[in-house]
Amino acid sequence: MTESQNSRALRESADVIVLGAGPAGLVLGNLLHAAGIDCVLLERASRTHVQTRARAGFLAPNTGRILDRHGLADGLHRRGLRHGTCEFRTEDGRFRLDYGSLGQGGQQHHVYPQQNLVTDLLTHYLGRGGRIRFQTEALAVREADGTRPYVTTREPDGRPTRWSARYVAGCDGRHGAARRSLPPGAVRRHHDHGVTWLGLLAEAPPSLDAVGYAIHDRGFAGHMARTADVTRYYLQWQRGIPADAWPEQRIWDELDDRMRAADHGPLHRGTLLERGIFDLTCDVIEPLRHGSLFLAGDAASLLAPAAAKGTNLAVLEAELLAGALTDALTRGDTAGLDRYSDQCLAHIWRAQEFTGWMTRLLHTAPGGDQDAGSFFHAALRRSRLASLRTSRIHQEWFAENYVGV
Ligand code: APR
């Protein structure tokens, strides 16, 4: 916004402005609103779009506990499925890991598609009178180093608006305005795992009663239940090849091969509803606080999807940030805000470490396992899998990290 546009801009305000209505922004909004904090959510997309966008679907036990604690888990308990087994398929056969009965106290995931969670959170927030503006794009966060930050937006009718606040929460994902507005001191630590996935959403019931991880010479294939009629599949994919390069038949044949359907039973085929390309890259912004601007969810850190940690971290961070903002605004106690970045970064780096380990476990080197370096990589992967198959301690460690956040 130029200076002259700025002076003509509409003016609005709230104590806390939350950018983005994904899991992070919606949990934060619900908790702040329940604590009586004056807040508003600004979301670029329409309500229909955020409620129908298919994303992740595995919620860790801690996420269930957070949602329970704040009365946000009704839908999850009504419609979510419990899940505690994964199956690895390799050249040496298959083995199942009942992680739900391992680790500390045996904990399971809930399988609950993210669009259902987002719909529940939104319904709850609006039902209690929470303020949200859809189709309102945040352009920039300004003066975050002071005590009166503001956000410039483009309203649905195109008019510029200036939203003033005491605090701004950047929950607007990897390409959001919060990240674009970081001061020069912010560091983005980036890593490319060098792997790409073709993500598929199939109109077909799950083919096994477990998460399926297939490790194959031609690359990884994954199977993840979503609902009784919809299943997610992933294929390790050559970077740069478009998602629609293969016809459906070829994709199903490749999934059959990599999942070793001939040995372990056929996959239920169905129409492919969606295809998407995911480069397995990750990053962490340090620190997560810049004056009055705080980052949470994908805006704070991006994780490769291999261990399904993104949504769970987003919810955890949102709860921490809600508590800290409430203390600051109701009691003038800013200790929680001072701690927020370090607290979250400890969780984030642990999740990044485990996700990196999973990523190395599941994939062939990008060019296949043929050359000498890749052979070394493949041998390490086999050894790691053998240890996971046979060592109880290794399985306990896996279970604790797989469900933990
Ligand atoms: N202004 C307003 N809203 C924006 C802007 C912007 N400039 N940019 C993005 N948004 C909105 C998006 O439309 C989206 O609804 O911010 C929201 C961010 O939501 P998510 O991407 O779901 O991110 P987050 O809430 O951090 O959840 C993280 O969900 O699907 C997973 O991979 C994701 O695991 C991660 C988790």
Side-chain angles (χ1 to χ4, degrees):
M1 212 184 288
T2 63
E3 276 311 311
S4 71
Q5 281 173 318
N6 207 357
S7 57
R8 279 188 280 114
L10 291 173
R11 304 217 170 207
E12 304 251 20
S13 68
D15 279 345
V16 180
I17 293 176
V18 179
L19 307 182
L26 282 166
V27 169
L28 179 60
N30 270 291
L31 271 49
L32 291 174
H33 187 67
I37 304 294
D38 167 34
C39 70
V40 66
L41 268 67
L42 306 180
E43 166 58 52
R44 181 178 57 188
S46 67
R47 181 173 181 177
T48 311
H49 183 78
V50 300
Q51 291 191 170
T52 50
R53 193 168 41 186
R55 310 278 294 274
F58 266 65
L59 300 184
N62 191 54
T63 305
R65 285 193 291 274
I66 293 174
L67 298 173
D68 266 334
R69 213 164 22 241
H70 303 286
L72 299 170
D74 285 1
L76 177 67
H77 291 306
R78 253 198 338 271
R79 290 181 291 156
L81 306 169
R82 305 293 288 198
H83 193 284
T85 305
C86 46
E87 181 172 307
F88 291 88
R89 297 182 174 187
T90 76
E91 60 265 65
D92 302 319
R94 66 173 164 173
F95 68 96
R96 287 166 80 89
L97 226 152
D98 287 320
Y99 64 86
S101 57
L102 293 162
Q104 286 174 346
Q107 304 200 67
Q108 297 189 323
H109 282 111
H110 285 279
V111 181
Y112 196 52
Q114 188 166 307
Q115 62 272 33
N116 294 358
L117 175 67
V118 163
T119 301
D120 294 350
L121 292 169
L122 203 46
T123 307
H124 196 272
Y125 183 70
L126 291 170
R128 277 155 190 73
R131 267 207 296 165
I132 184 166
R133 295 285 180 88
F134 290 105
Q135 292 172 290
T136 298
E137 182 180 9
L139 302 174
V141 183
R142 305 265 188 224
E143 293 183 21
D145 51 352
T147 53
R148 209 59 200 162
Y150 65 92
V151 178
T152 54
T153 62
R154 191 175 11 241
E155 302 295 303
D157 61 7
R159 275 181 310 171
T161 297
R162 173 180 163 145
W163 288 83
S164 329
R166 303 275 299 281
Y167 297 105
V168 178
C171 304
D172 51 348
R174 63 191 300 186
H175 300 302
R179 277 194 172 203
R180 282 200 304 273
S181 306
L182 292 174
V187 178
R188 175 172 173 257
R189 305 194 191 282
H190 175 262
H191 174 69
D192 186 343
H193 292 288
V195 171
T196 297
W197 279 3
L198 174 68
L200 304 158
L201 201 62
E203 193 172 26
S207 300
L208 53 159
D209 60 348
V211 172
Y213 293 122
I215 292 112
H216 188 280
D217 283 352
R218 287 204 302 278
F220 164 75
H223 161 283
M224 276 138 225
R226 279 292 178 268
T227 66
D229 316 303
V230 174
T231 307
R232 246 213 186 285
Y233 286 94
Y234 294 103
L235 277 179
Q236 188 176 345
W237 193 247
Q238 199 180 321
R239 196 165 282 183
I241 303 288
D244 58 5
W246 290 8
E248 289 204 6
Q249 172 81 26
R250 180 164 178 204
I251 287 180
W252 283 112
D253 290 348
E254 186 69 12
L255 281 167
D256 267 350
D257 273 2
R258 296 195 197 175
M259 301 275 312
R260 298 178 171 82
D263 299 331
H264 307 307
L267 303 179
H268 298 302
R269 296 189 174 198
T271 307
L272 296 177
L273 303 169
E274 274 183 38
R275 301 180 184 205
I277 297 286
F278 302 93
D279 290 335
L280 271 58
T281 60
C282 55
D283 67 16
V284 180
I285 303 289
E286 289 192 326
L288 302 181
R289 173 185 188 171
H290 299 277
S292 340
L293 169 64
F294 294 81
L295 305 181
D298 275 11
S301 172
L302 206 61
L303 285 108
K309 297 285 185 209
T311 315
N312 297 298
L313 273 176
V315 171
L316 174 87
E317 291 157 9
E319 190 194 41
L320 287 172
L321 186 53
L325 287 169
T326 304
D327 286 349
L329 287 164
T330 56
R331 300 194 280 115
D333 175 359
T334 54
L337 290 180
D338 295 338
R339 272 197 310 269
Y340 173 75
S341 180
D342 286 347
Q343 245 178 326
C344 292
L345 286 169
H347 293 288
I348 287 171
W349 281 113
R350 188 161 169 201
Q352 290 285 8
E353 197 284 319
F354 182 69
T355 301
W357 180 89
M358 279 285 283
T359 305
R360 288 191 298 279
L361 181 78
L362 298 176
H363 298 95
T364 53
D369 277 348
Q370 314 313 326
D371 66 49
S374 304
F375 179 83
F376 195 86
H377 174 95
L380 289 179
R381 195 182 61 234
R382 278 183 88 159
S383 169
R384 232 176 251 139
L385 281 160
S387 170
L388 193 58
R389 183 200 292 253
T390 52
S391 158
R392 174 78 182 192
I393 289 181
H394 201 169
Q395 292 170 358
E396 297 272 356
W397 171 86
F398 176 84
E400 193 178 315
N401 282 278
Y402 193 55
V403 294
V405 180

